[in-house]
Amino acid sequence: MEQVKIAPSMLCADFRRLEEEVAALSAAGVDWLHFDCMDGQFVDNLTYGPLVLEALREGCELYFDAHLMMLNPGRHLRAFANAGADGICIHRETVSGPAGLLDKIKGMGCQAGLAFNPATPLEGLEAIIEYCDYVLLMSVEPGYAGQRFMPGVLKRIEQVRKLIDRAGLDTLIQVDGGITAETARQVIAAGANVLVSGSFFFGHPEGYRAAAEALRGAAQ
Ligand code: DX5
Ligand code: ZN
């Protein structure tokens, strides 16, 4: 199986020194930068939008992953694509039929992700799995970093893994919320291959490289 991808959540970066943070993350060998874009409506918290991605894009080769926790995500796709997002992920709860928007994302030259809150049923995913480059399964309620991992996601990862394998696709499974070296081991065993990590990663006492290694090591 291909190596897991490590995606630090920029929500936990030091906002006073974002440029240095991005350089340090690149040097630490991470794969994706995960940007939590929250609108204060779909979730309580309010964070940042495409301008921040655009400002960091220049000089950074890492994959930019925009996790859109917002109502009416369709209104903002073009702005995120223009800002240099490589992947744009919309929430299943915010759209009645996601296929059209997922298609639109791809038409803008980006990869398309579809995110599910912990309690959102996965039924119907099979019919639209071909439209997804990645499926994001939330392992906390979205809105804030630093919450506890909800183990109920493990069964959901297994379910989506089966569905993807059955369809013969290489769709990625991303997990977001409460990921540590220990929970990373569990989600990888269940079939996930993109790990978002905020508090654990940025709070690692030995730094970013050690944090990335700890998460990668969980695959062994
Ligand atoms: C939660 C965000 C996550 C979060 C991850 O709404 O989508 O990306 O910041 O942080 P930790 O790893 O601390 O749960
Ligand atoms: Zn996120």
Side-chain angles (χ1 to χ4, degrees), residues 134-157:
Y134 57 110
V135 172
L136 166 53
L137 296 171
M138 293 300 303
S139 37
V140 297
E141 290 298 338
Y144 297 94
Q147 304 181 72
R148 261 191 59 195
F149 177 80
M150 296 166 74
V153 74
L154 295 172
K155 279 220 160 61
R156 289 160 63 80
I157 297 169

Side-chain angles (χ1 to χ4, degrees), residues 41-192:
Q41 297 188 70
F42 175 61
V43 291
D44 291 337
N45 205 0
L46 184 62
T47 58
Y48 45 72
L51 287 179
V52 171
L53 278 77
E54 192 181 359
L56 297 174
R57 181 71 280 184
E58 212 186 300
C60 179
E61 299 294 317
L62 295 173
Y63 184 104
F64 275 23
D65 172 31
H67 176 194
L68 306 192
M69 283 161 276
M70 57 183 66
L71 300 179
N72 294 317
R75 291 180 54 185
H76 303 286
L77 300 179
R78 174 49 67 193
F80 279 99
N82 287 350
D86 296 288
I88 301 180
C89 183
I90 59 171
H91 261 265
R92 179 67 190 88
E93 304 79 18
T94 64
V95 283
S96 47
L101 285 188
L102 294 168
D103 231 16
K104 218 169 162 181
I105 293 171
K106 292 193 206 221
M108 294 177 184
C110 301
Q111 291 199 299
L114 186 62
F116 292 82
N117 282 347
T120 302
L122 295 170
E123 61 183 13
L125 176 58
E126 190 147 23
I128 53 166
I129 191 69
E130 287 154 67
Y131 291 83
C132 305
D133 294 300
Y134 57 110
V135 172
L136 166 53
L137 296 171
M138 293 300 303
S139 37
V140 297
E141 290 298 338
Y144 297 94
Q147 304 181 72
R148 261 191 59 195
F149 177 80
M150 296 166 74
V153 74
L154 295 172
K155 279 220 160 61
R156 289 160 63 80
I157 297 169
E158 285 171 11
Q159 213 179 319
V160 176
R161 168 53 53 211
K162 279 200 190 113
L163 188 157
I164 290 170
D165 290 349
R166 226 176 15 239
L169 296 169
D170 56 6
T171 319
L172 298 170
I173 302 180
Q174 183 181 41
V175 187
D176 184 6
I179 296 296
T180 63
E182 175 53 25
T183 57
R185 200 183 49 74
Q186 299 171 27
V187 302
I188 292 167

